[in-house]
Amino acid sequence: TVTMSSSTLKDKNSHALKSGDSEPSPLPDGVARLYSMRFCPFAQRTTIYLAKKGILTEIVNINLVAKPEWYFKKNPKGTVPTFELDGKVVFESLIVPEYLDGIFPDSSIISSDPYVRARQRILVEQLSVILGGYVGIFLSLKGDKSDEEVRDALGKCFSALDECEKLAANDSPFFAGSAPGFPDYMIFPFFDRLWALTTGVIPSIRPSLSDDVKQFTVSDFPGSFTWPRLTKWFDAAQKLDEVKSSRQPREVQVAFLKTYIAGSPD
């Protein structure tokens, strides 16, 4: 049996283990462990899931710049998330959540109906345009590109938001329907980082671009005038207990992104 709890993510903010650090002690039966990185949107997909399902999980954070040597035995790619339970190890950010639904079917989040499940997976693929939009802006800033090149990346992100707006329902607060589900949890982390990037990072490190991101505000993101359905969705999603449990405060996200863009991620 696995312990279920209302406070599920143990050691969420623990120090990230790096090259040279020892491997954590082996897990006793029935104890879950997630290898994560607290600012990684891919890992947050799983932490949201774990929080929603109420599975008490030990979080082991990994320094993704200087990964511990032993970690590659868990995950040959060295990425996060990696989930471990009863000697079984599973990784990849879209696979781990579905695995959790498979081993804890009583709290399954993705639909058990084959057609609805397929449509939800398709929706995640369609919504993933925002991932490219966010990464494009981030890399242009990290690469110290010109303002014009950053503006070009912003323009592509605006187009991605337009596509996501079309996919949002008029009559439901969430992509999964009246209640949040698989597509909401899989895509929220990338909107969350875009929120921090456009409202906190860009105005601070590139004041010359402040006018280009002025429509993005902390309280109305991405913007009810241009993207009303997405704005209602983001507001509803960030109020969910499972999202709050898995999330880093905005000011902490902003501070981390600034160090990452500067080339020395803290």
Side-chain angles (χ1 to χ4, degrees):
T1 61
V2 174
T3 302
M4 311 302 264
S5 168
S6 59
S7 178
T8 63
L9 306 177
K10 181 185 175 185
D11 299 329
K12 183 181 80 169
N13 293 321
S14 60
H15 179 72
L17 300 183
K18 63 184 185 305
S19 176
D21 287 342
S22 300
E23 181 177 354
S25 301
L27 285 166
D29 289 347
V31 176
R33 177 181 286 162
L34 181 73
Y35 297 91
S36 183
M37 194 281 267
R38 61 192 183 122
F39 300 107
C40 176
F42 295 99
Q44 193 185 1
R45 286 172 159 175
T46 297
T47 54
I48 293 175
Y49 238 70
L50 290 166
K52 177 64 177 177
K53 293 170 89 66
I55 303 163
L56 185 62
T57 306
E58 174 191 297
I59 304 292
V60 174
N61 285 309
I62 300 295
N63 184 323
L64 297 179
V65 176
K67 300 165 187 174
E69 292 76 11
W70 51 262
Y71 185 58
F72 291 94
K73 296 178 183 177
K74 305 283 184 185
N75 179 342
K77 296 174 69 175
T79 56
V80 292
T82 299
F83 180 78
E84 185 174 8
L85 177 65
D86 294 339
K88 298 175 181 178
V89 177
V90 178
F91 49 89
E92 296 295 349
S93 69
L94 288 174
I95 293 174
V96 175
E98 287 206 53
Y99 176 69
L100 292 173
D101 277 342
I103 61 175
F104 301 111
D106 290 347
S107 60
S108 185
I109 292 168
I110 197 168
S111 175
S112 59
D113 179 276
Y115 178 72
V116 176
R117 185 167 64 245
R119 293 302 305 174
Q120 288 185 343
R121 287 170 172 161
I122 291 168
L123 188 53
V124 170
E125 289 296 315
Q126 292 174 305
L127 290 166
S128 292
V129 294
I130 200 63
L131 194 163
Y134 162 72
V135 170
I137 299 170
F138 179 82
L139 291 178
S140 68
L141 293 168
K142 190 173 185 295
D144 200 24
K145 303 291 186 182
S146 68
D147 282 0
E148 203 51 48
E149 288 172 296
V150 179
R151 285 192 183 99
D152 182 60
L154 281 166
K156 291 176 181 176
C157 188
F158 293 161
S159 296
L161 287 167
D162 290 342
E163 290 186 46
C164 292
E165 176 73 12
K166 293 173 186 175
L167 294 166
N170 273 319
D171 55 353
S172 301
F174 299 104
F175 287 104
S178 58
F182 185 74
D184 302 283
Y185 297 151
M186 295 304 99
I187 211 66
F188 177 83
F190 301 98
F191 276 89
D192 201 30
R193 269 72 179 172
L194 184 62
W195 178 60
L197 189 69
T198 56
T199 63
V201 177
I202 292 177
S204 174
I205 68 171
R206 287 283 185 107
S208 56
L209 293 172
S210 292
D211 283 347
D212 297 273
V213 294
K214 64 183 179 182
Q215 70 188 90
F216 298 113
T217 64
V218 173
S219 60
D220 186 53
F221 180 84
S224 54
F225 181 77
T226 309
W227 302 289
R229 285 176 284 181
L230 278 181
T231 304
K232 286 182 181 178
W233 168 80
F234 185 76
D235 184 58
Q238 66 177 334
K239 292 176 180 175
L240 297 168
D241 287 342
E242 56 269 33
V243 167
K244 291 178 182 177
S245 296
S246 70
R247 195 183 196 189
Q248 293 293 330
R250 175 180 169 276
E251 61 273 17
V252 177
Q253 287 196 58
V254 169
F256 171 75
L257 287 170
K258 285 181 179 178
T259 67
Y260 199 168
I261 287 168
S264 55
D266 182 359

